[in-house]
């Protein structure tokens, strides 16, 4: 505005003239973008300018129009235009809901920041040049810079550096915003997953109910058929034939009748056919819910006993579980409902080891006996249970107090009627002279290990002991054999002078002589208190290989077709290659391992902690699972108040993990 | 740096290669495309001189508007701008007026308002001119017919 200088000249004409010149110049120069004029001012000016320039007539005619004729024609006639409008139309309710802009950067800034640096600057210049006549663009970068070229240069550089810094800030903000966006998406996806998971759970429940219905109809059908058969038989005056198999060897049978007569008598079980086969022998459908649960999430937790769990096993995920504890009881659980189905009563002392296979349960006790049970004869119907509770309230046994279901006490299942398992005992195997510490059966072969330092093989068809294996004798044999005839690993023990390894350090009186064993056909593996793992051939009764390595009593053992995994009180888990007899892998925890099991993916251990130690075979990861870890802050796991008890026993099948603790709690986890 | 571009910025199309970069990014992110990527592509499209691309850009913007409330205010402006470029002045006005209601201080919106008014007025004038021209022509023809008819009589 150099024209203002002329205002000092006192001539009126000149003054008036200069004012005119100023105004005109402002009109002409203003839009050109004077560096000193603010954007605001420019806009205001140009608005006024525009208002003035617009003919009055035109404004008065067209002031009522909201849009132009071309627009009107387009929006009402052209089909693609109408389609496009329908697609991009934003309804009024959305327009009504426009929150405050809280973003740290605008989308346009983000756009600018994504463009490559050089090109973008180039663009700016191009724009500002092209539109410098219009009042729009950033005009600070103009040629009005005064001073030496170096100064200009440096100023330019500073500006560009500042600009880049600003851009970087925007990019950073963009990244963090994007991450937040992704987090939201992940959360949404997780929610969706949860919904689908719930749907799956619902379907599985429905499946269960349907299976129950099928079973009920089956039972009715069978009963009816039986009745019809009976009627036909009666009509023909035929004697009824016993339906029981010869496997049964009832203890405490009435001695006054001869065996042949007794067999003809209808047993109590056959007299009430309804009580039999209440439970499906095997579920038709496979539950898969646990496979989709997040690894380590809790499925159930129940106060199974009031004392240390000594043994537990289950047949299948969401199937039937049997637990035993130092309180001398053996309980059967419906894992799906989390309800106690009944007690297996008969042992004189607490059960040390047990196995569940389909509907057969084998229990080995401190009273030196082994008992077999058939759970399919249990009187249990998950749906009848609440009704049964109401009528049998007076008859329920009282030692169930406090054994309510953890999650929701209000629908705590009623204690099972004491008679529910009365038909379950099959027979008793009595030959050991000290407590039975380990057992395993497969098919008709059961092998048990006892504190009397022997292993016994039983034929479950006949219910008799068919072979006794003396571990100490075998150990002595191994030491007298020439090193060439035994495996390389055994030769180490042989050269040590004795077959019975003197580990000393962990050889305490408390350790079970036979810590664990597993049988497969004629192959038997057993781990003993000397830390040795012996592989037997049941046909010859000989040890054909000994695996030396553990320095403490072996407490758990399991093998599949390739590997043998052992857990020991020496705190280590060893994985042996069965084909070579050499060690394949080993790792250790902080405390002695009391129980170990593996499934296709994971090796799980109870190692004296309040969590189950999990080793993932596929990715080699070690992690903890159980109440001791605060996995899900939302669930009650972390808020149990008191510290979770030490895990004593652990079982896993198909990613379905069950652990029993020192305080009698049993936790079920997906793994 | 301004947080909103002026209308003039929308008039300078990107190079095809630049637009291609934005499009590739948009397509790469597929179903889980981020807002910024989507906007970049949409803005690139609106800057284009091809009507079809402009429409696509407006459509994408309306999607952003729907899906992310926190960006609605900004989107209003772009929707107005896009519709202005498309010549959908009623829509453009609708969005822009709303934005001005929310942010009376918004310079870009203010300038866009004048632009829209201008354009409507100009086209309206043209329309009036055309209609007027047709009317005049019709009148001339009519009068000629009338005259010739009168002459015949």
């Amino acid at each position: 505005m150099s024209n203002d200088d002329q205002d000092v000249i006192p001539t009126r004409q000149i003054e008036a003239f200069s004012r005119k010149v100023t105004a005109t110049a402002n009109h002409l120069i203003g839009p050109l973008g004077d560096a000193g004029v603010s954007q605001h001012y420019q806009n205001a000016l140009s608005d006024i300018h525009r208002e003035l320039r617009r003919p009055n007539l035109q404004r008065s005619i067209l002031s009522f129009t909201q849009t132009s004729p071309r627009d009107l024609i387009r929006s009402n006639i052209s089909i693609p235009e109408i389609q496009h409008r329908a697609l991009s139309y934003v309804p009024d309710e959305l327009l009504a809901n426009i929150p405050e802009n809280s973003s740290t950067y605008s989308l346009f800034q983000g756009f600018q920041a994504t463009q490559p640096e050089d090109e973008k600057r180039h663009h700016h210049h191009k724009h500002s040049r092209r539109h410098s006549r219009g009042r729009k663009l950033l005009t600070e970068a103009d040629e009005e810079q005064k001073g030496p070229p170096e100064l200009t240069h440096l100023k330019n550089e500073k500006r560009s550096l500042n600009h880049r810094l600003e851009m970087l800030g925007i990019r950073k903000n963009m990244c963090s915003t994007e991450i937040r966006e992704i987090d939201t998406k992940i959360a949404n996806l997780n929610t969706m997953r949860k919904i689908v998971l719930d749907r799956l759970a619902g379907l599985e429940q429905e499946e269960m109910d349907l299976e129950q219905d099928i079973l009920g109809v089956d039972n009715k059908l069978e009963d009816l058929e039986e009745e019809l058969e009976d009627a036909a038989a009666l009509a023909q005056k035929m004697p009824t034939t016993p339906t029981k198999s010869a496997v049964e060897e009832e203890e405490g049978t009435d001695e006054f009748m001869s065996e042949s007569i007794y067999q003809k008598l209808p047993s109590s079980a056959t007299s009430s056919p309804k009580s039999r086969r209440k439970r499906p022998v095997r579920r038709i459908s496979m539950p898969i819910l646990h496979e989709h649960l997040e690894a380590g999430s809790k499925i159930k937790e129940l106060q199974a006993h009031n004392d240390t769990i000594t043994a537990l096993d289950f047949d299948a995920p969401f199937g039937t579980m049997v637990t035993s504890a130092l309180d001398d009881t053996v309980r059967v659980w419906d894992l799906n409902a989390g309800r106690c189905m009944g007690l297996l009563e008969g042992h004189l002392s607490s059960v040390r080891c047990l196995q569940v296979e389909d509907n057969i349960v084998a229990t080995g006790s401190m009273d030196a006996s082994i008992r077999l049970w058939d759970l399919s004869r249990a009187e249990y119907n998950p749906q009848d249970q609440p009704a049964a509770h109401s009528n049998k309230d007076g008859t329920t046994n009282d030692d169930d107090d406090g054994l309510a279901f953890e999650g929701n006490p209000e629908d705590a299942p009623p204690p099972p009627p004491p008679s529910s398992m009365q038909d379950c005992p099959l027979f008793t195997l009595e030959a050991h002279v000290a407590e039975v510490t380990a057992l395993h059966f497969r098919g008709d072969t059961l092998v048990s290990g006892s504190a009397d330092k022997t292993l016994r093989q039983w034929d479950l068809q006949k219910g008799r002991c068919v072979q006794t294996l003396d571990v100490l004798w075998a150990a002595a044999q191994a030491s007298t054999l020439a090193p060439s005839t035994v495996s390389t690993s055994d030769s180490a023990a042989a050269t040590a002078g004795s077959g019975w390894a003197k580990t000393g350090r962990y050889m305490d009186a408390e350790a079970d002589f036979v810590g664990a064993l597993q049988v497969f056909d004629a192959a038997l593996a057993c781990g003993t208190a000397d830390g040795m793992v012996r592989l037997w051939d049941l046909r010859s009764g000989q040890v054909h290989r000994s695996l030396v390595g553990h320095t403490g009593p072996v407490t758990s053992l399991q093998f599949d077709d390739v590997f043998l995994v052992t857990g020991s009180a020496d705190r280590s888990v060893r994985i042996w290659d069965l084909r070579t007899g050499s060690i394949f892998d080993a790792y250790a925890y902080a405390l002695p391992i009391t129980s170990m099991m593996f499934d296709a993916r994971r090796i799980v251990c109870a190692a004296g902690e309040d969590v189950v130690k999990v080793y993932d075979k596929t990715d080699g990861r070690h992690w903890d699972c159980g109440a001791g870890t605060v996995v899900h802050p939302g669930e009650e796991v972390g808020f149990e108040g008191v510290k979770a008890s030490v895990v004593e026993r652990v079982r896993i099948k198909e990613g379905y993990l069950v652990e029993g603790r020192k305080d009698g709690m049993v936790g079920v986890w997906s793994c | 740096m301004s947080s909103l571009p002026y209308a003039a910025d929308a008039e300078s199309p990107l190079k095809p290669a630049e637009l291609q970069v934005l499009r590739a990014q948009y397509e790469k992110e597929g179903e889980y495309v981020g807002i910024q990527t989507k906007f970049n592509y949409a803005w690139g499209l609106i800057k284009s001189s091809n009507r079809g691309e402009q429409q696509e850009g407006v459509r994408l913007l309306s999607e952003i508007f729907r899906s992310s409330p926190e960006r609605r205010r900004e989107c209003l402006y772009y929707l107005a701008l896009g519709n202005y470029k498309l010549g959908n002045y009623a829509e453009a006005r609708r969005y822009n007026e709303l934005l001005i209601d929310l942010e009376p201080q918004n310079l870009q919106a203010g300038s866009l308002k004048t632009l829209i008014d201008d354009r409507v007025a100009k086209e309206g004038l043209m329309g009036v001119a055309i209609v007027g021209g047709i009317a005049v022509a019709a009148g001339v023809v009519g009068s000629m017919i009338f005259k010739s008819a009168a002459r015949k009589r």
Side-chain angles (χ1 to χ4, degrees), chain B residues 10-84:
Chain B
E11 301 291 348
S12 61
L14 290 178
K15 291 190 207 116
E18 288 173 333
L19 187 60
Q20 186 51 42
V21 168
L22 296 177
R23 180 182 291 127
Q25 179 67 19
Y26 173 73
E27 280 164 0
K28 198 181 82 191
E29 293 186 24
E31 197 183 335
Y32 302 107
V33 63
I35 294 175
Q36 185 64 55
T37 312
K38 203 168 183 174
F39 170 79
N40 288 354
Y41 183 43
W43 180 235
L45 287 173
I46 285 178
K47 278 159 84 83
S48 156
S49 48
N50 177 334
R51 189 170 170 84
E53 286 182 347
Q54 291 169 8
Q55 285 182 338
E56 178 66 8
V58 170
R59 195 184 60 76
L60 287 178
L61 276 173
S62 72
E63 276 178 24
I64 297 175
F65 187 91
R66 269 169 232 261
S67 62
S68 37
E70 73 277 6
R71 290 296 190 189
R72 278 188 185 163
R73 207 170 265 209
E74 283 175 72
C75 278
L76 268 186
Y77 179 70
Y78 297 107
L79 282 172
L81 201 51
N83 277 309
Y84 163 72

Side-chain angles (χ1 to χ4, degrees), chain A residues 73-87, chain B residues 55:
Chain A
I73 289 166
R74 271 212 208 107
S75 58
N76 292 315
I77 294 167
S78 163
I79 288 166
E81 286 291 335
I82 292 167
Q83 277 175 343
H84 165 252
R85 270 165 207 247
L87 275 177
Chain B
Q55 285 182 338

Side-chain angles (χ1 to χ4, degrees), chain A residues 47-340:
Chain A
D47 277 357
I48 294 165
H49 187 64
R50 231 158 244 291
E51 289 292 318
L52 287 174
R53 221 173 50 188
R54 196 177 294 167
N56 270 335
L57 177 75
Q58 182 187 335
R59 269 165 61 207
S60 58
I61 288 176
L62 295 166
S63 59
F64 63 91
T65 53
Q66 283 301 298
T67 183
S68 70
R70 192 155 60 107
D71 187 21
L72 274 173
I73 289 166
R74 271 212 208 107
S75 58
N76 292 315
I77 294 167
S78 163
I79 288 166
E81 286 291 335
I82 292 167
Q83 277 175 343
H84 165 252
R85 270 165 207 247
L87 275 177
S88 61
Y89 186 75
V90 177
D92 284 333
E93 56 263 39
L94 286 185
L95 288 178
N97 174 25
I98 295 173
E100 198 69 41
N101 198 346
S102 57
S103 303
T104 46
Y105 65 96
S106 77
L107 285 169
F108 183 62
Q109 284 170 332
F111 172 79
Q112 286 181 320
T114 20
Q115 295 246 301
E117 195 73 34
D118 293 328
E119 254 179 293
K120 181 168 42 26
R121 218 174 305 153
H122 175 66
H123 260 258
H124 264 220
H125 283 266
K126 220 164 65 182
H127 290 178
S128 45
R129 223 167 291 138
R130 188 183 297 170
H131 297 285
S132 53
R133 213 172 11 173
R135 64 246 165 268
K136 276 124 205 159
L137 259 229
L138 327 150
T139 48
E140 57 263 14
D142 260 347
E143 306 82 46
E144 303 215 355
Q145 232 89 39
K146 282 172 185 119
E150 294 94 51
L151 188 66
T152 324
H153 182 71
L154 279 177
K155 270 184 179 167
N156 276 338
E157 197 174 325
K158 186 187 170 199
R159 195 164 43 231
S160 95
L161 286 177
N162 277 339
H163 175 75
R164 275 171 65 188
L165 194 67
E166 205 179 343
M167 279 297 171
L168 282 181
I170 290 171
R171 278 187 205 151
K172 256 170 64 186
N173 277 333
M174 279 166 72
C175 281
S176 66
T177 310
E178 215 162 314
I179 288 170
R180 235 173 289 133
E181 253 176 64
I182 290 170
D183 285 348
T184 321
K185 277 177 193 163
I186 291 173
N188 285 343
L189 286 175
N190 275 332
T191 321
M192 265 173 69
R193 188 183 192 280
K194 201 166 177 304
I195 291 167
V196 177
L197 198 68
D198 286 348
R199 203 187 306 151
L200 179 65
L203 287 176
E204 231 160 58
Q205 192 58 49
E206 215 169 293
E207 206 175 51
M208 279 281 291
D209 295 349
L210 210 64
E211 267 179 41
Q212 286 293 336
D213 291 352
I214 291 174
L215 198 75
V217 173
D218 268 358
N219 280 339
K220 273 183 201 157
L221 198 71
E222 214 166 274
D223 289 353
L224 202 65
E225 274 172 2
E226 235 167 76
E227 258 171 50
L228 286 174
E229 237 169 70
D230 284 357
L234 272 176
Q236 290 170 22
K237 307 270 180 213
M238 287 281 285
T240 53
T241 51
T243 50
K244 287 254 176 135
S245 68
V247 187
E248 256 183 296
E249 197 182 274
E250 298 85 356
E251 67 267 52
T253 51
D254 311 356
E255 310 279 70
F256 62 90
M257 273 192 271
S258 77
E259 202 70 354
S260 55
I261 297 174
Y262 180 78
Q263 281 191 354
K264 281 175 187 164
L265 280 173
S267 76
S268 61
T270 42
S271 66
S272 56
K274 265 179 223 157
S275 68
R276 295 181 56 198
R277 316 225 2 221
K278 267 275 155 71
R279 226 178 66 83
V281 176
R282 190 137 190 91
R283 289 203 45 191
I284 308 162
S285 51
M286 275 303 290
I288 50 160
L289 180 65
H290 63 283
E291 292 167 17
H292 298 285
L293 286 171
E294 196 185 329
S297 58
K298 185 167 85 171
I299 298 171
K300 262 191 178 61
E301 194 163 56
L302 28 101
Q303 182 77 46
H305 294 269
N306 286 326
D307 209 337
T308 306
I309 305 274
T310 54
L312 61 83
D313 197 12
F314 62 101
D315 58 348
F318 296 102
T320 309
M321 174 177 71
V322 179
T323 58
S324 69
L326 281 181
D327 60 7
D328 291 1
T329 58
V330 181
R331 287 170 190 272
V332 185
W333 300 87
D334 178 351
L335 279 177
N336 192 58
R339 193 182 290 155
C340 184

Side-chain angles (χ1 to χ4, degrees), chain A residues 548-619:
Chain A
V548 182
H550 281 299
T551 56
V554 175
T555 53
S556 47
L557 170 158
Q558 191 191 348
F559 62 81
D560 59 10
D561 49 349
V562 182
F563 294 116
L564 170 79
V565 184
T566 53
S568 161
D570 69 2
R571 311 185 334 263
S572 71
V573 173
R574 284 166 193 262
I575 305 167
W576 313 79
D577 193 322
L578 274 182
R579 294 164 298 191
T580 63
S582 58
I583 196 146
F584 172 77
D585 196 5
Y587 56 93
Y589 293 117
L591 291 166
I593 286 152
T594 54
S595 178
M596 180 278 310
M597 191 175 177
F598 66 83
D599 67 357
R601 260 196 85 176
R602 298 178 171 101
I603 301 173
V604 294
C605 287
E609 292 183 35
D610 53 3
V611 290
V612 177
K613 312 297 275 187
V614 184
Y615 173 65
D616 205 313
K617 287 191 275 187
T618 48
D619 53 11

